[in-house]
Amino acid sequence: MTGDASARRERRGGGVAPPVTLLTPVTYLKGVGPRRADLLARLGITTAGDLLMHVPRRYEDATTVLPVARAQPGQDVTVLGRVISKGIIPTRRGLRIFQAVIQDASGLLEVGWPGQPHLDRTINIGDVLLLSGPVRIFHGRQLAPREFVNLGADDAGTAGGRVLAVYPATDGLPTKLLRQLVDAQLDALLPQITDPLPVNILQAAGVPALPDALRLVHRPSSVKDAERGRARRAFEELFCVQLLHRRANQLERSARDGITFVNRRKFTTALKSQLPFTLTAAQVRVLREIVVDMTSPLRMHRLLQGDVGSGKTIVALFAAMVALENDWQAALMAPTELLAEQHLRTFTRLLAPLGITPALFTGRMSAAERRAIATRLASYEPLLVVGTHALVQDATSFGRLGLVIVDEQHRFGVEQRKALQAKGATPDVLLMSATPIPRSLALTIYGDLDVSMLDEKPPGRIPIVTTMRAESARDRVMTFVNAQLDAGRQAYVVYPVIEESERSDLRAATQMAEELSGGVFASRRVGLLHGRLKSDEKDAVMRAFLARDIEVLVATTVIEVGIDVPNASVMLIEHPERFGLSQLHQLRGRVGRGADDSYCILLGDVSPESAERLDVFVSTEDGFAIARADMRMRGMGDLFGERQSGLPSFLVADPLRDEALIPVARAAAEQVLQSDPTLARPEHQALRELLTGRYRRALELFRVG
Ligand code: ADP
Ligand code: MG
């Protein structure tokens, strides 16, 4: 046996590990056995490359820690110290507290974790902990950590001078371990990474290239560094989504030419001249945007955003007039029969002097009535029809549908909106939304639409008096409501759920309607409206309210949209903490529609956190500000609901926080697509692969040939 052969055997036997690549399975990494590999897989990490993309959730800045001797009760502090003793202390009430004493150069501090005796297993004497949380008095000073990072026994030297990355962790795989795993591979892996985004795009956006960004993210020397790294990844997500949106928009426009309407100024001028008010500057601007779209040969695909009461309906009517004066049909779809009827009344009144009679099309009409309208729609007669989803459900066909308008578009599913559009060959489309969000965010959420903003309300609106009242003020509140009813006004009382559930103490609408009509409103006509009623039952109740046959309408949020009952002056909302701010804003928009004062009262005892949140609503009537606050607190998905399918979801980007990056991402996407619409050029190959690998939709959008 020669020495040569034994050396070879040793090499093959694993004495020297092969170089780690991005695709190396984590099981091959030092320190990862089968158990840890399983845990890593749970975090979505199976390769070394995945590990690199597992980015910290947040950072602890060990450069700004407070000497423990200076931590005072009542303060919220971040401290760094070594564990010198520890133990589990039982309390009389059966709670077990894990306690440790930490030491730094300035002295000692006790730390207590009530109810977490298991920490005894992971925190050892000698470990250095970075902790933050409030200091309280508990047999002396004690820190109650809100969060902490165990830096381990030998990390003290490095921790003092840098920022610590806190990774999304899982049981058995603490952040400390993840940090070690990433750190051990970082230098070998980063040089293997090439940035899929073109250099000029990165430069224009002012973000670092991917390898630099990942180094900043995993091994930052300051929190600001880490943020620069994060911004690179956020930008990538926003850029990709804009690429998809803009490409979809491009295809949609070029696939089918639209109708080229002519701005004849026949009906529109006549309508303007006999409006009972002058249009706001915002309405004029938005109308111009719509007319430009309609008179261009491309299809309009536009979203009109405007706060409650900003006057979207009249804008829609002008657009319909442009269609009609070109001998095309226009259809407006509303989410409820009541709202459709309301629009029809408005339109009928405003169009009478022009000799135009709009038509109604809802499920509530008799079959014969519907058939009569359907016959006219199937002909070439230029007609404005206002209806519900009956417009798409029935076997209706349009002879010359040129314009589709969808009111309160978030109330419809994507399919319903598409189905109405499909009733015409290439109709222009105007969607209307009452949850106004900043333009840049709208471009992210509704990326393949053009967006118009109605950011001004008609003059002379009386502010709605909004207040928050504690449970103890209930009697006084009810007395106030009764006084309003005495004055001939009407009131809404809104509850978050329909029926009392055993688990909660919510004052359900059904039960409360009974209680109120037997109690404080015994002498009043009380009605009940909730989502489980059939739509004709709902409409009957709303009609009775409109006719003042009902004075107090107890309801769930079904009354949220569009309804205009000017005589209603009180919106009383129970359990306000159960509602999103935008939802509350929609509810409040149901009052303040007449000439007199109106009131929105939030009633009930709420937690201090809820009170703080609700304060945003109480203190402003600006729907943009409210939507923004709502998004910040609840996230976009919640705000726009399940129905807005196609809502982009982001891992890193936060459209609110990264708002400034959105226009940059959009401009960059447009620039790339202008020169290379299918991303076929070699310099875009990596980008193409990124898109098609990550977004299913990209496969069809960027199909070549
Ligand atoms: P929304 O944007 O919530 O759909 P509407 O279109 O229902 O709002 O308009 C709310 C009210 O404001 C309606 O009564 C409408 O007639 C009125 N309105 C609309 N535009 C103006 C204007 N320029 N000046 C005065 N009142 C207006
Ligand atoms: Mg409306």
Side-chain angles (χ1 to χ4, degrees):
M1 183 81 30
T2 67
D4 237 330
S6 71
R8 220 179 302 134
R9 198 166 39 241
E10 208 180 300
R11 261 203 304 280
R12 220 183 302 136
V16 180
V20 174
T21 72
L22 295 168
L23 297 177
T24 302
V26 283
T27 36
Y28 291 14
L29 300 180
K30 194 163 158 275
V32 183
R35 205 183 71 86
R36 280 188 182 162
D38 278 353
L39 293 170
L40 283 167
R42 218 179 282 171
L43 294 171
I45 302 169
T46 56
T47 65
D50 293 342
L51 199 56
L52 215 55
M53 293 302 168
H54 188 66
V55 299
R57 188 156 36 93
R58 62 187 165 81
Y59 297 90
E60 292 287 2
D61 192 350
T63 56
T64 57
V65 295
L66 191 73
V68 297
R70 300 215 335 245
Q72 293 303 321
Q75 274 182 326
D76 209 292
V77 300
T78 298
V79 295
L80 181 76
R82 191 181 289 278
V83 177
I84 58 162
S85 71
K86 63 162 190 168
I88 296 170
I89 293 161
T91 64
R92 237 175 282 140
R93 288 166 51 224
L95 186 72
R96 304 207 301 156
I97 304 180
F98 175 68
Q99 284 193 356
V101 174
I102 60 162
Q103 181 177 40
D104 70 3
S106 72
L108 303 175
L109 180 66
E110 190 174 272
V111 186
W113 286 266
Q116 300 191 57
H118 62 272
L119 287 176
D120 192 36
R121 270 179 276 136
T122 50
I123 296 179
N124 298 309
I125 290 179
D127 282 354
V128 173
L129 306 182
L130 179 66
L131 311 117
S132 56
V135 182
R136 52 182 196 180
I137 297 284
F138 185 79
H139 311 307
R141 288 184 311 154
Q142 188 180 74
L143 177 69
R146 193 171 37 249
E147 41 200 14
F148 75 98
V149 189
N150 188 346
L151 304 173
D154 44 46
D155 229 11
T158 49
R162 65 180 167 96
V163 174
L164 285 166
V166 180
Y167 290 86
T170 179
D171 272 350
L173 209 58
T175 188
K176 183 174 80 172
L177 198 72
L178 282 162
R179 183 173 335 104
Q180 281 165 3
L181 283 175
V182 175
D183 205 61
Q185 307 303 335
L186 200 59
D187 293 319
L189 291 177
L190 285 182
Q192 301 177 36
I193 291 189
T194 44
D195 199 316
L197 305 193
V199 180
N200 59 334
I201 297 290
L202 292 170
Q203 278 168 354
V207 294
L210 190 55
D212 296 333
L214 288 173
R215 185 183 299 282
L216 290 170
V217 158
H218 290 295
R219 215 183 264 165
S221 56
S222 69
V223 173
K224 216 170 138 207
D225 263 8
E227 169 53 28
R228 280 187 60 223
R230 192 200 66 86
R232 158 63 186 74
R233 302 193 64 238
F235 175 76
E236 178 180 305
E237 287 185 344
L238 295 168
F239 175 63
C240 286
V241 163
Q242 287 299 333
L243 274 175
L244 299 181
H245 282 331
R246 297 324 294 161
R247 177 67 181 154
N249 190 290
Q250 215 173 40
L251 287 178
E252 190 147 329
R253 279 166 169 253
S254 60
R256 290 194 288 183
D257 284 346
I259 303 159
T260 309
F261 295 98
V262 177
N263 187 7
R264 301 188 194 281
R265 296 195 172 82
K266 190 171 121 204
F267 295 154
T268 49
T269 305
L271 176 60
K272 198 177 292 175
S273 69
Q274 54 81 47
L275 273 185
F277 45 73
T278 41
L279 295 176
T280 64
Q283 283 170 323
V284 171
R285 171 170 43 77
V286 159
L287 255 173
R288 202 175 299 133
E289 289 165 0
I290 291 170
V291 171
V292 165
D293 275 4
M294 290 184 73
T295 54
S296 95
L298 299 173
R299 288 185 69 180
M300 173 165 73
H301 206 56
R302 186 168 283 278
L303 175 75
L304 171 56
Q305 286 203 105
D307 205 348
V308 196
S310 59
K312 291 184 287 296
T313 317
I314 195 77
V315 171
L317 184 57
F318 271 99
M321 289 306 101
V322 175
L324 260 60
E325 66 191 12
N326 282 271
D327 295 329
W328 286 87
Q329 297 167 334
L332 185 150
M333 181 165 71
T336 64
E337 304 198 330
L338 213 77
L339 196 51
E341 287 175 22
Q342 184 179 296
H343 285 328
L344 183 84
R345 268 196 304 278
T346 307
F347 292 171
T348 306
R349 180 164 40 84
L350 292 172
L351 296 181
L354 283 65
I356 299 173
T357 312
L360 183 70
F361 197 89
T362 68
R364 193 167 160 266
M365 294 161 54
S366 74
E369 285 172 314
R370 263 209 309 276
R371 216 174 308 123
I373 301 298
T375 308
R376 290 172 64 195
L377 289 175
S379 78
Y380 288 143
E381 179 185 345
L383 183 64
L384 167 58
V385 65
V386 181
T388 57
H389 57 278
L391 282 169
V392 288
Q393 279 182 342
D394 278 33
T396 37
S397 68
F398 288 77
R400 249 175 97 76
L401 182 58
L403 175 68
V404 162
I405 305 167
V406 181
D407 194 18
E408 309 284 352
Q409 59 99 22
H410 66 285
R411 286 283 171 140
F412 293 97
V414 177
E415 302 73 29
Q416 279 173 314
R417 299 194 303 241
K418 285 249 152 75
L420 183 55
Q421 294 166 34
K423 295 276 178 183
T426 58
D428 279 4
V429 176
L430 181 66
L431 306 175
M432 305 204 286
S433 160
T435 302
I437 52 172
R439 175 183 293 275
S440 58
L441 297 180
L443 292 177
T444 304
I445 295 172
Y446 311 103
D448 40 13
L449 299 174
D450 295 303
V451 178
S452 285
M453 309 274 268
L454 216 45
D455 49 9
E456 177 189 3
K457 283 193 199 175
R461 289 276 158 83
I462 303 170
I464 298 163
V465 181
T466 305
T467 50
M468 216 180 327
R469 291 283 176 257
E471 195 55 42
S472 57
R474 177 171 294 273
D475 288 350
R476 261 175 293 149
V477 167
M478 292 306 179
T479 305
F480 174 81
V481 176
N482 259 319
Q484 286 287 307
L485 299 175
D486 281 338
R489 311 301 302 275
Q490 290 160 282
Y492 298 95
V493 182
V494 176
Y495 294 88
V497 290
I498 303 172
E499 272 157 35
E500 192 112 357
S501 76
E502 286 172 350
R503 277 174 293 120
S504 72
D505 60 351
L506 295 184
R507 295 163 175 281
T510 327
Q511 191 189 323
M512 281 313 290
E514 277 167 33
E515 227 174 285
L516 290 174
S517 57
V520 277
F521 300 131
S523 60
R524 308 290 180 187
R525 295 181 301 276
V526 178
L528 173 64
L529 189 72
H530 59 68
R532 296 215 194 138
L533 292 178
K534 294 207 189 73
S535 75
D536 55 337
E537 293 170 328
K538 270 187 230 166
D539 284 346
V541 173
M542 273 315 297
R543 242 176 288 281
F545 190 58
L546 191 57
R548 303 195 191 186
D549 290 339
I550 291 174
E551 297 171 270
V552 179
L553 183 60
V554 178
T556 59
T557 51
V558 289
I559 53 154
E560 201 179 307
V561 291
I563 293 301
D564 199 7
V565 182
N567 191 50
S569 65
V570 179
M571 171 60 65
L572 174 65
I573 302 172
E574 300 262 12
H575 293 287
E577 76 280 4
R578 296 280 164 144
F579 296 90
L581 298 184
S582 294
Q583 214 175 6
L584 289 173
H585 186 58
Q586 292 297 320
L587 289 170
R588 175 167 58 187
R590 297 307 114 226
V591 297
R593 300 191 153 243
D596 299 309
D597 284 341
S598 21
Y599 307 87
C600 177
I601 308 168
L602 310 184
L603 181 59
D605 293 333
V606 301
S607 71
E609 298 85 67
S610 294
E612 201 174 308
R613 186 173 69 92
L614 294 172
D615 251 349
V616 175
F617 167 73
V618 172
S619 61
T620 182
E621 270 194 68
D622 179 349
F624 284 89
I626 288 169
R628 191 183 271 271
D630 212 10
M631 284 173 80
R632 198 176 304 123
M633 291 182 275
R634 292 200 300 156
M636 297 204 300
D638 252 22
L639 183 53
F640 294 95
E642 302 278 341
R643 279 188 165 175
Q644 280 296 345
S645 68
L647 196 67
S649 61
F650 300 106
L651 285 173
V652 182
D654 171 348
L656 265 184
R657 180 173 168 188
D658 299 314
E659 209 176 328
L661 285 176
I662 295 174
V664 185
R666 187 175 170 92
E670 254 157 23
Q671 188 194 322
V672 167
L673 290 179
Q674 220 156 44
S675 65
D676 187 12
T678 55
L679 303 180
R681 289 207 200 145
E683 71 264 31
H684 292 144
Q685 194 195 331
L687 179 57
R688 195 189 154 75
E689 279 165 14
L690 172 73
L691 280 172
T692 49
R694 197 185 288 173
Y695 306 92
R696 180 174 306 196
R697 196 166 156 226
L699 288 172
E700 120 203 21
L701 289 175
F702 292 96
R703 202 198 310 273
V704 257

